[in-house]
Amino acid sequence: MGRPRQAILSPEKIYRAALELVDEFGDFTLPGLAKRLSVSPSSIYHHVQGRPEIINGIRSVIGADALASGDFFTAGPDWQDRAAAWARSYRRALGQHAKCIPLLVGEAVTDHATLGIYEHLAALFVEQGFSANDVVVAVTVLDNFMLGSALDVAAPESAWLADAEAQPALHAAFADASLDGPRSDLSFEVGVAAIIAHLGTLVPQA
């Protein structure tokens, strides 16, 4: 019997299977991943070196999907519009895989797709004349806020079940509020606008 023309496994197939497991269970194991792929654990090691590589592979899959569907490059015309669009696009992509975020933040970014996403943001600030220090801070603060907001996408709409007697202010606010959309989306827009307004003070004045 001849060998199959295509390999049963590939790195991307492994990454996507691991992503499915994390979406379902919040984590993955190599034995669980092998079972999902109907292969032996040793077969996986022929294609990837181990858990850290798989986690970065999960990030690369999310990043590639985000680049394919997000509006990272065309929003505008102002840099503020483009920075906000970057945060919205990446938040939307990560919000679909919120259980992955705790895994992703524990590993440095090495994959080209995700580095390309952050390169676009850094270049946007460089174009405005931000110093190197301010570029690092700007990218970090938008990243931190976007990651937290992406986690909030998966949170309950009523995230704080306050008691009327023990937490009267919080309870009353949630009881009386009639928000014009999902709590997480409205809060994200307020937060990203505030961050970008502050970043505007870092633009060198002519």
Side-chain angles (χ1 to χ4, degrees), residues 128-187:
Q128 307 313 309
F130 281 38
S131 69
N133 287 352
D134 288 342
V135 170
V136 171
V137 170
V139 170
T140 301
V141 72
L142 270 178
D143 180 55
N144 287 346
F145 179 68
M146 179 273 302
L147 287 170
S149 186
L151 278 172
D152 194 34
V153 170
E157 185 64 19
S158 297
W160 297 271
L161 300 180
D163 181 80
E165 293 185 6
Q167 302 91 24
L170 190 60
H171 179 273
F174 274 84
D176 297 340
S178 59
L179 300 178
D180 219 10
R183 172 190 57 78
S184 61
D185 291 348
L186 295 172
S187 303

Side-chain angles (χ1 to χ4, degrees), residues 9 22 48 60 100 132 141 173 194 198:
L9 287 183
V22 178
V48 297
S60 72
C100 291
V141 72
H198 174 73

Side-chain angles (χ1 to χ4, degrees), residues 2-203:
R3 298 182 64 182
R5 294 185 179 181
Q6 293 184 337
I8 296 174
L9 287 183
S10 68
E12 182 173 354
K13 189 171 182 179
I14 293 169
Y15 304 152
R16 289 195 178 274
L19 176 58
E20 290 176 2
L21 288 173
V22 178
D23 283 342
E24 291 178 33
F25 306 112
D27 203 349
F28 72 93
T29 64
L30 268 296
L33 182 55
K35 183 177 180 181
R36 174 61 61 99
L37 292 165
S38 300
V39 299
S40 66
S42 62
S43 298
I44 293 176
Y45 284 104
H46 289 304
H47 298 272
V48 297
Q49 293 182 353
R51 183 178 173 88
E53 183 178 342
I54 294 172
I55 291 174
N56 268 299
I58 289 173
R59 192 201 315 270
S60 72
V61 166
I62 296 173
D65 290 348
L67 284 173
S69 62
D71 186 19
F72 289 99
F73 303 102
T74 58
D78 298 330
W79 71 267
Q80 294 95 329
D81 298 324
R82 288 149 60 199
W86 182 94
R88 285 189 201 100
S89 293
Y90 206 16
R91 171 183 176 262
R92 183 167 58 247
L94 282 172
Q96 296 171 6
H97 306 286
K99 291 181 181 179
C100 291
I101 294 174
L103 291 179
L104 300 181
V105 298
E107 296 287 339
V109 180
T110 59
D111 70 279
H112 291 296
T114 308
L115 286 172
I117 290 172
Y118 285 92
E119 169 64 16
H120 174 66
L121 185 63
L124 181 64
F125 295 130
V126 170
E127 289 169 6
Q128 307 313 309
F130 281 38
S131 69
N133 287 352
D134 288 342
V135 170
V136 171
V137 170
V139 170
T140 301
V141 72
L142 270 178
D143 180 55
N144 287 346
F145 179 68
M146 179 273 302
L147 287 170
S149 186
L151 278 172
D152 194 34
V153 170
E157 185 64 19
S158 297
W160 297 271
L161 300 180
D163 181 80
E165 293 185 6
Q167 302 91 24
L170 190 60
H171 179 273
F174 274 84
D176 297 340
S178 59
L179 300 178
D180 219 10
R183 172 190 57 78
S184 61
D185 291 348
L186 295 172
S187 303
F188 168 78
E189 291 297 335
V190 170
V192 80
I195 291 170
I196 291 173
H198 174 73
L199 293 181
T201 67
L202 304 179
V203 178

